[in-house]
Every structure is written in structure tokens, then in C-alpha cells.
Amino acid sequence: MNRFVPTHAFGAALDGHEKGEIGKMLSPGNIKEMLTAGLKPLSYRLRTELAVEAWHWNAKGTWSEPDKKRGYWTSSSDIRGGSISLSYGYRLPRRGSSTDQANDDDYSRLDDGRVETFWKSNPYLDQHFTGEQNSNHPQWVVIDLEREKLIDAIRIRWAIPFARVYDVQYASIMAAADVSQALPNDWQTFPQGAIQNGRGGDVSLRLSSEPIRTRFIRILMKESSSISNRQQVDVRDHLGYAIREIYVGLSANNNGTLQDEIHHASNNREQTSIYVSSTDPWHRARDKDELIEQAGFDRLFKSHLTNGLPVLVPIAVLYNTPENAVAEIRYLKRRGYSIEEVELGEEPDGQFVTPEDYAALYIQFARALHQADPKLKLGGPSFQDIEYDEDVRYADNSKPAWLGRFLTYLKQHGRLEDYTFFSFEWYPFDNVCQPTAPQLAAANRMLTTSLTQMQMRGLTRDIPWIMTEYGYSAFGGRAEMDIEGALLNADIIGTFLNLGGEQTFLYGYEPNEVIHEVPCSSGNNMLFELDDRGAISYRMPTYYGARLTTQEWVQTGNGVHDLYAATVDDTQTSVTAYAVHRPDGLWALMILNKDPNRARAVVVKFHNETTGSEYEFEGAIDLYQYSRKQYELSTDRLEPYPIRDLPPEHKTLTSTPQLVFQLPAYSLTVIRGRVPLGER
């Protein structure tokens, strides 16, 4: 099914965290424990990009307007400036989106009630940088009124640059209940909403003679004025589109007054939710976000966590400049740090970036990076998810369609060779309140179907597939701290490798704490739980599951392993199995019983397709098993903790004909021994 090297295939992801947490999590004692999990390569995750922030990967650098300490930032690539222990993001004062996927504590400047602030689109999506007409990369603002309202008028207070050509539109159908996952994709322009010669300023428009009932309004901008009211300004400052404030509602009379349906506030809890296509990375020194910190490159590479292997490093794309990206790679190279693959961007799909806009940025960054280092392997897009949906092939805004459009853009522009690996994150279950047994039963099919749908839209096996994060859910839940978390992780690894995947990076490597994100449950994706002093208090099932995978199922080291198909003859069973032939000549099966109540009895047989013969293990057999016999979690909904926390059980058995192996309910088992297969 596949061939892999464990020191390449099984890695861990390191993320940004809140203030003060990096030092506590990555203490020398904790790092020593983390390394015992057997996960080798690292994927560096970029939380600042999720927070809609510009990343100063090095605190030392230069501003495009140095006298005022503002503008577009480039971190220094000079290695003489000392060691980088922490790095930070900077909030964007030209931000347009109300919400984000990190701390979610900033807000949109489009409805903050202050006319001195404004949103501005990313200048790198202007024709000056893309080389294409702006109409090929229209920028947009979407307003979510939360429920349907009668609308016939809009007031737009343009900043500079403004849109000369734009459409004011409404969604003709309701979007899904969870707007954070999918915006409407069926838009119609208001009868009087097509503007061909916009002049900027404070504009009030009557959109239709009769009010139209809708929940969503969109301003679609196609041509920019491309001017600035500042002298000797950076060219980027007058590219794109900028709006100070928006008002939408019913026109009370013909004198231009408006019954505004938008709530204006300088916080995202009270203001009407707004989503934008892009945001200008311009910012100021005083915009530093002290609440989110990333591990500094020097701290990371000198911590032994890399195991001397290449790190999958990120390049911020959505809120960054190519110059800053190039400086990052030069710094790492000058330090002599091992890097091989570079991931461009962090979850652009989750931030509603169109594939064409992401592709245009990707090409600009790839061109600059390859001028600095032609051998760099670039890829992405670090999909937030690749959504399991039986009808996804028909959806124009689905993730497979997104990938297809991205690949088409690269191909049309002759830059497909710059795309050398496909990356995505996999957290299959959003609802951590649902029973876990049906979720575990569906997990294999979900991942298999999702990747199959991606292949239908252009994903090829000619490039590596990398799962840059995986875990039970993107939301904290009990299952992540219980046996189910270990079972799902093992199933994800086995299924992904069976499908041809190359690398996996387990999320939650750092010791962490229980989080409360949903009313029904509490938990966290983590291998270790921290106590109040910052020391490891418990080892989670995910830790022991990782050890069984990296140190018992496979042989430690750099040996090549062959993965073979393993089938279960009872199609109704909850048992799944993954078989490897190891460099030491041993065969190892990783077997999961995903039934929470029933134990299973299995006999293992090996079939030689060449001879048609069947074989069984011979001689001594190592059996490793992890179940509720080793682990029990308390029933406390808010603060669950392990009542019993033991390592997997190990037995040595002697093979006999038709040897029966007992699989406890909800268990992970590794069976390892020799098989006289002869020619394979």
C-alpha cells in the first residue's frame, strides 16, 4: 500500500500560545518527556496568521516608514542580532473581518463607528503586483445581518483608494446555519446596485425601488481609483480599495436618510459581523499583540525537539510581504538550520480567501523565495479541513473545488512546478457532544472519501501529501483526553498511509491544560496535562498511542517500512488493522477495536498472493495492548482527570496454530513477530 520511513512519517506540530505559556510548556523537563513520544520531525504552526496579524518572526527589522515606525515590516535576516526566543504578531489597523480563529479579540474597522479608521484590501492583489486586470481579482465585503431584513439602500463612506466600478449585491438564498464555515455563493446585484463610475467620498445609493428581503449584503469591487492623498507614499498604500464605514437598510424618504440595520461598535461582540476578501498588512509598532506568542526560531531549533531533522516551516502569506518571507529563509539558512519544505500560508480557506487570490499571492511569494533559494520545496495551502461531504462534488464552494481552482490558476500562469506538496489539517469531528462510537466507526470512510474527492478535482499522487495537523476535533472535548483520542489518532495514521500519505504531524505536542469551549464537554488535544507549576501531571492516552505507533508497531530509526493491506473478514465488525513489514524482518499489526462495549477475538493470517498459501506467526510473539484496563477518566464534565493512568500492557506469547488474540473493548493492540512467508 505504501512505503515509509518512521523518522519522516511520524511528526508533531508546535503552535503559538497565549502570553507566558511557551516558556512553561517548553521547559527542559517537559521537552525531555515530549521526546519520549517518539515523534521525530516538527511542523511549525502559525497562529498569528489565524489571528489576522502580521508576523514579526524577528523583533529586529525595518519599517517602510522608519521615522514613524509604521508601514510594511521586514524582519532582519542578520544572525548577529542575538537569539530569537519568542516572536509576536501585530494587529492590523486596516482590518476588515469581525472574527478570527485565534483569540478572536479584535474587530472590523468597517462598522466600528469611527470614521477615522478604515479597512483596506491587500495591495499585493492589485494589478500592479499580479500583472492582471483588477476585475480578475475582485475584492469584497460581506455583511451578515444575522436574520433577513428589508433592504433598499446603502451608504458607503469610502476612504482612498476607492472603487470606481463595483456592485452591491444580496444573497438570493440563505447560507448554512454556521456562517463561519461557508458564506453564500449565490449572489444577485440589486436592480440599481451596479456602479460604473464611482467617485468615492460619502455615497448614498438607492438600490431598488422596492425593498428586498435578505440576510447578506456584498460589495464586490472590480476597479480601483489607485490614488492616495498622502505625499511620497509607498506604492502599496494607494493600491486596492479602502472603506471607512458602511450603513445598510431602508431609505426613510427621498432626502437620503437611512434606517441603518448595522450595529456599529469597536468590539466584535456587539458589532454586526463582517467578512472581507483580504486585508492590508500595513501596521504600526504600537499594534504589537502581547497576548499571542510563537516560539522563536532559535529557541525551537536549539531545543532538541527537531531531532536534527528538517522542520516544516511556515511562511505567512495573507498578511505578509515577499521581502519578509525571503528574509526569514535567509535567516534560517545563515543559522544552518535544517529546512526542506516550506508551507505558504495558514488556512486561507478558513478565512474565506478565494483560491485565485491565494494563488496570486502564492506565485509572488514563490518567485521571491526561489530567487533566494531555488531548491526550496514549497506547498500548501494548509487547508483548515478537507470536509467530508457526500455531495461535495456538486458544490462550487467546496474544498475540492477550491483546490481545483487553485491548481488551475497555477497551471494557467505556468507556475505549477512551484507547487511541490499538498498540505491539510484533519480534525474530523466538530461536534464533541455526540457519542464517540459512531464517530470512530465513520472516521476511515470520512478521510478516504475526502481525499478521493480532492483527487477528483486535480490532486495528484505525483506530489507528497502532508497532514500538517491532526486530532479528534478543533474544539476541546472529553474524547481527546480519553481512549477515543488514541484510537482515532492511530486510525488516522493507518488510513492516511494506506491512501499514500507521506507525513503526519500530531497536534498537541506541547503539555497543556483542559479547556472549556462547549457547554457539554471539556478537554484538549494534548499528549500531556500540565499542573499549576508547569510540570507534567498526567500522560494522556494519545501519548501512549503515539509510543505504540512509533516504537512498537514500527522499528525505531531510519529503516524503510512496507505497509500492506489488512482486511477483516467480518464486514460488520468494529475492528480495523494495519500491517507493516519492518526492516528487522518482523511483521507488526496495529489493530483497533472501536466497539466501546464488546471485546473481540481474532485470528491473524498472512496470505501470500504469489503462492496462494496462508501463514501465521511463528515462534515468540510480542503483544502490546492499551485499553480501559490501563486508563480511566473521571466523570467530571468541567475538569476531567485520569483516575487510572498506566502504560500499555506487554506480553510475550508463543505461537500455536489458530492462535486467538483477545481485543478488549475500545482498545489499541500491536502484535509483532516473525512469519515464514518466503517470497512476498
Side-chain angles (χ1 to χ4, degrees), residues 125-128 130-140 163-167 196 218 220-224 226 240-241 354 356-357 405 409:
L125 293 172
D126 186 88
Q127 60 192 24
H128 178 87
T130 66
E132 301 178 282
Q133 293 295 317
N134 280 337
S135 56
N136 290 350
H137 294 277
Q139 299 300 290
W140 48 260
R164 293 194 185 278
V165 178
Y166 61 97
D167 295 334
Q196 298 299 316
R218 182 169 77 167
L220 186 69
M221 294 156 273
K222 303 174 183 178
E223 288 188 18
S224 171
S226 299
Y241 309 90
T354 67
E356 291 79 14
D357 283 0
R405 289 164 56 188
Y409 187 98

Side-chain angles (χ1 to χ4, degrees), residues 477-486 513-515 522-526 529 538-542 631-633 639-642:
R478 178 185 177 88
E480 296 153 1
M481 298 176 59
D482 212 336
I483 291 287
E484 296 95 321
E513 301 169 345
V514 176
I515 57 175
S522 300
N524 206 344
N525 287 300
M526 56 186 176
E529 185 174 353
Y538 298 109
R539 293 168 181 82
M540 298 290 103
T542 47
Y631 185 83
E632 182 180 355
L633 190 63
E639 293 292 340
Y641 62 91

Side-chain angles (χ1 to χ4, degrees), residues 15-31 34 85-86 88 293-296 299 510-511 530 533-535:
D15 204 356
H17 293 278
E18 296 185 8
K19 184 176 182 178
E21 291 185 344
I22 295 291
K24 181 170 64 173
M25 293 173 170
L26 301 184
S27 67
N30 289 347
I31 288 175
M34 292 163 66
S85 179
L86 293 171
Y88 293 90
E293 58 188 25
Q294 300 270 157
R299 181 184 206 139
E510 311 93 317
L530 285 177
R533 299 169 299 168

Side-chain angles (χ1 to χ4, degrees), residues 61-263:
T62 57
W63 296 95
S64 59
E65 298 179 61
D67 54 329
K68 297 181 179 179
K69 293 185 177 180
R70 68 183 189 185
Y72 300 93
W73 171 263
T74 304
S75 288
S76 174
S77 61
D78 190 345
I79 63 174
R80 297 171 297 178
S83 182
I84 304 174
S85 179
L86 293 171
S87 62
Y88 293 90
Y90 283 66
R91 301 180 190 274
L92 302 181
R94 298 173 176 178
R95 172 176 170 146
S97 293
S98 298
T99 59
D100 62 59
Q101 297 164 304
N103 279 16
D104 196 22
D105 56 3
D106 209 341
Y107 56 92
S108 173
R109 289 356 182 231
L110 283 162
D111 59 343
D112 63 352
R114 302 171 59 202
V115 295
E116 63 269 24
T117 63
F118 60 91
W119 160 77
K120 183 174 175 292
S121 64
N122 192 331
Y124 290 96
L125 293 172
D126 186 88
Q127 60 192 24
H128 178 87
F129 289 105
T130 66
E132 301 178 282
Q133 293 295 317
N134 280 337
S135 56
N136 290 350
H137 294 277
Q139 299 300 290
W140 48 260
V141 169
V142 169
I143 305 158
D144 178 9
L145 298 174
E146 296 187 356
R147 59 186 179 86
E148 289 188 326
K149 304 285 183 69
L150 289 173
I151 304 297
D152 69 0
I154 189 170
R155 179 185 176 193
I156 307 173
R157 301 186 73 163
W158 292 99
I160 296 177
F162 56 87
R164 293 194 185 278
V165 178
Y166 61 97
D167 295 334
V168 182
Q169 303 175 317
Y170 64 96
S172 59
I173 59 173
M174 286 292 292
D178 188 359
V179 181
S180 67
Q181 296 298 311
L183 293 176
N185 66 343
D186 189 2
W187 296 95
Q188 292 190 22
T189 301
F190 280 95
Q192 298 161 219
I195 309 304
Q196 298 299 316
N197 190 25
R199 300 181 182 275
D202 189 346
V203 178
S204 293
L205 300 173
R206 186 69 180 266
L207 299 172
S208 62
S209 57
E210 295 293 333
I212 294 176
R213 186 176 296 276
T214 185
R215 173 179 169 180
F216 296 95
I217 307 294
R218 182 169 77 167
I219 305 171
L220 186 69
M221 294 156 273
K222 303 174 183 178
E223 288 188 18
S224 171
S225 63
S226 299
I227 60 173
S228 174
N229 58 357
R230 298 170 57 195
Q231 295 181 349
Q232 298 179 344
V233 74
D234 187 302
V235 65
R236 293 166 287 191
D237 217 24
H238 64 256
L239 300 177
Y241 309 90
I243 301 175
R244 297 189 181 278
E245 204 79 5
I246 303 174
Y247 316 83
V248 170
L250 285 174
S251 178
N253 50 48
N254 293 327
N255 63 12
T257 60
L258 183 71
Q259 180 182 320
D260 188 17
E261 295 289 356
I262 293 180
H263 299 288

Side-chain angles (χ1 to χ4, degrees), residues 412-659:
Q412 289 174 344
H413 290 75
R415 306 295 300 194
L416 199 55
E417 71 277 3
D418 288 329
Y419 187 61
T420 61
F421 66 86
F422 164 70
S423 67
F424 70 101
E425 301 174 5
W426 185 247
Y427 299 95
F429 305 117
D430 286 342
N431 193 338
V432 293
C433 301
Q434 293 294 319
T436 56
Q439 292 179 332
L440 291 178
N444 285 355
R445 179 169 54 88
M446 291 171 65
L447 181 56
T448 301
T449 302
S450 296
L451 284 169
T452 299
Q453 291 169 346
M454 285 289 177
Q455 289 177 282
M456 291 167 61
R457 290 299 187 115
L459 177 62
T460 171
R461 293 284 294 272
D462 294 336
I463 62 173
W465 299 355
I466 302 178
M467 189 183 289
T468 48
E469 293 181 25
Y470 68 93
Y472 200 96
S473 175
F475 304 95
R478 178 185 177 88
E480 296 153 1
M481 298 176 59
D482 212 336
I483 291 287
E484 296 95 321
L487 291 176
L488 181 66
N489 287 349
D491 224 8
I492 288 173
I493 288 172
T495 302
F496 186 58
L497 291 176
N498 263 341
L499 295 172
E502 180 167 313
Q503 269 188 305
T504 61
F505 293 94
L506 176 62
Y507 188 82
Y509 197 27
E510 311 93 317
N512 215 325
E513 301 169 345
V514 176
I515 57 175
H516 319 287
E517 293 185 308
V518 294
C520 67
S521 186
S522 300
N524 206 344
N525 287 300
M526 56 186 176
L527 299 186
F528 311 94
E529 185 174 353
L530 285 177
D531 62 21
D532 294 337
R533 299 169 299 168
I536 292 172
S537 57
Y538 298 109
R539 293 168 181 82
M540 298 290 103
T542 47
Y543 166 75
Y544 289 117
R547 282 183 61 92
L548 282 174
T549 302
T550 63
Q551 298 174 44
E552 307 302 346
W553 183 51
V554 301
Q555 181 183 353
T556 57
N558 297 317
V560 176
H561 289 61
D562 292 325
L563 182 68
Y564 282 82
T567 59
V568 181
D569 60 8
D570 180 2
T571 58
Q572 301 303 313
T573 187
S574 57
V575 173
T576 53
Y578 305 97
V580 293
H581 189 249
R582 301 164 23 133
D584 58 9
L586 299 180
W587 285 85
L589 272 74
M590 182 166 63
I591 309 178
L592 288 70
N593 181 5
K594 296 180 284 187
D595 191 311
N597 302 310
R598 286 183 59 189
R600 300 286 181 173
V602 299
V603 173
V604 177
K605 295 183 178 181
F606 293 80
H607 178 72
N608 188 321
E609 291 186 349
T610 302
T611 64
S613 303
E614 287 189 346
Y615 303 86
E616 297 182 25
F617 284 110
E618 69 173 8
I621 301 172
D622 281 304
L623 177 74
Y624 295 86
Q625 210 153 61
Y626 190 68
S627 67
R628 296 209 184 280
K629 181 179 178 181
Q630 284 74 43
Y631 185 83
E632 182 180 355
L633 190 63
S634 73
T635 58
D636 192 321
R637 181 174 60 84
L638 292 179
E639 293 292 340
Y641 62 91
I643 297 174
R644 183 169 54 255
D645 191 14
L646 302 174
E649 182 180 18
H650 175 221
K651 296 178 182 179
T652 301
L653 308 176
T654 301
S655 63
T656 59
Q658 296 291 304
L659 178 62

